């Protein structure tokens, strides 16, 4: 059963509701993308992109980084097979295909924002695992650029990313830093500080540090 597509603003500055939590754990969660209104596949979030969800009990806004995504048949018994058709031909000849596939992604939790009673101000940011992850069926949103810039004023989240299991960690760290670097308008000072922090965390493993930094480019 596909998840229904909600009604929301398509403005770049609005919160983009892209998925729903379908499996949750202390350090990460699995989310399923919402079904588009038209005959197309759900947009798979980019590797290393920033998303957020909410712990309804505490009201904490939980921040995370996408480290794995997949599109597969809803029916786990039958695999998809090559049809030799373009997307337009699929829409015309096999429209049911779009209802038979799901897109899911895994998110590494890197911190949270504690609810501020004064809603006009941001809450305090903590860059460690929150007391609870988002609950099942909670909405998952793309992070607004301002939220990512605000969160990345401190760099403790890099240690959490380096500890993510079952992921290409070096590439993940590079992708997360790369997005922040772009959003900070190529702030060289911030990038140098990130490099210093990584150097300490990697215990002077300069080869690994070089590989990570080499993947960060304007």
């Amino acid at each position: 059963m596909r998840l229904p597509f909600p009604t929301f603003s398509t403005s770049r500055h609005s919160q983009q509701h892209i998925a729903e939590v379908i499996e949750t754990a202390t350090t990460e969660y699995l989310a399923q993308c919402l079904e588009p209104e038209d005959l197309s596949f759900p947009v798979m979030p980019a590797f290393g992109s920033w998303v957020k969800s909410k712990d309804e009990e505490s009201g904490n806004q939980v921040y995370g980084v996408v480290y794995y995504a997949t599109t597969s048949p809803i029916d786990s018994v039958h695999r998809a097979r090559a049809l030799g058709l373009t997307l337009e031909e699929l829409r015309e000849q096999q429209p049911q295909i779009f209802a038979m596939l799901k897109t899911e992604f895994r998110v590494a939790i890197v911190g949270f924002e504690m609810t501020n009673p004064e809603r006009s101000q941001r809450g305090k940011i903590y860059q460690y695992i929150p007391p609870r992850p988002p609950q099942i069926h909670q909405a998952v949103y793309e992070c607004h650029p301002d939220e990512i810039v605000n969160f990345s004023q401190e760099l403790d989240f890099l240690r959490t990313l380096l500890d993510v299991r079952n992921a290409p960690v070096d590439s993940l760290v590079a992708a997360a830093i790369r997005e922040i670097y772009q959003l900070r308008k190529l702030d060289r000072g911030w990038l140098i500080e990130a490099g210093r922090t990584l150097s300490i965390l990697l215990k002077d493993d300069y080869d690994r540090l070089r590989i990570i930094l080499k993947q960060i480019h304007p």
Side-chain angles (χ1 to χ4, degrees):
M1 182 177 178
R2 305 284 308 270
L3 295 172
F5 192 81
T7 301
F8 57 86
S9 170
T10 56
S11 166
R12 288 185 60 188
H13 299 291
S14 66
Q15 290 187 331
Q16 296 297 307
H17 182 188
I18 60 170
E20 187 172 308
V21 177
I22 60 171
E23 182 181 304
T24 188
T26 301
T27 59
E28 64 175 65
Y29 60 85
L30 176 68
Q32 182 177 336
C33 290
L34 302 173
E35 180 183 0
E37 291 180 310
D38 57 357
L39 290 177
S40 61
F41 301 119
V43 177
M44 183 181 288
F47 176 71
S49 59
W50 292 73
V51 295
K52 62 183 180 181
S53 190
K54 194 172 185 179
D55 168 26
E56 289 289 350
E57 279 193 48
S58 65
N60 291 337
Q61 193 83 268
V62 179
Y63 292 95
V65 177
V66 175
Y67 75 88
Y68 178 80
T70 179
T71 298
S72 61
I74 291 177
D75 180 356
S76 60
V77 176
H78 300 93
R79 296 182 62 182
R81 61 186 180 85
L83 298 174
L85 302 174
T86 65
L87 277 177
E88 191 56 43
E89 289 170 338
L90 278 175
R91 293 186 182 99
E92 293 176 358
Q93 302 175 32
Q94 302 283 339
Q96 74 280 1
I97 291 291
F98 296 94
M100 296 167 61
L101 298 172
K102 61 181 178 179
T103 296
E104 298 174 345
F105 58 93
R106 290 193 175 275
V107 177
I109 296 172
V110 294
F112 63 100
E113 180 178 345
M114 187 172 287
T115 302
N116 191 328
E118 299 180 26
R119 297 187 178 274
S120 61
Q121 300 180 4
R122 290 189 183 276
K124 183 172 176 57
I125 295 289
Y126 296 91
Q127 292 194 4
Y128 53 79
I129 301 301
R132 283 182 297 271
Q135 289 90 353
I136 293 284
H137 298 305
Q138 290 301 298
V140 180
Y141 298 90
E142 291 179 339
C143 285
H144 189 279
D146 289 347
E147 293 175 314
I148 301 172
V149 170
N150 182 56
F151 184 89
S152 62
Q153 290 179 11
E154 301 293 334
L155 294 163
D156 294 338
F157 71 91
L158 293 175
R159 177 185 291 277
T160 303
L161 288 181
L162 287 169
D163 288 337
V164 175
R165 300 193 176 192
N166 302 317
V169 171
D170 291 354
S171 295
L172 176 64
V173 171
I177 291 177
R178 186 167 58 241
E179 181 168 353
I180 296 170
Y181 184 44
Q182 294 283 348
L183 293 175
R184 286 180 168 271
K185 305 186 187 307
L186 309 185
D187 182 347
R188 197 74 180 173
W190 181 89
L191 183 62
I192 290 172
E193 188 60 33
R196 287 175 179 157
T197 301
L198 284 174
S199 179
I200 294 171
L201 294 173
L202 295 173
K203 299 185 181 351
D204 296 327
D205 185 344
Y206 294 113
D207 285 340
R208 191 176 176 193
L209 177 62
R210 179 181 58 82
I211 290 171
I212 293 175
L213 294 180
K214 192 174 181 180
Q215 297 179 57
I216 302 169
H217 49 81

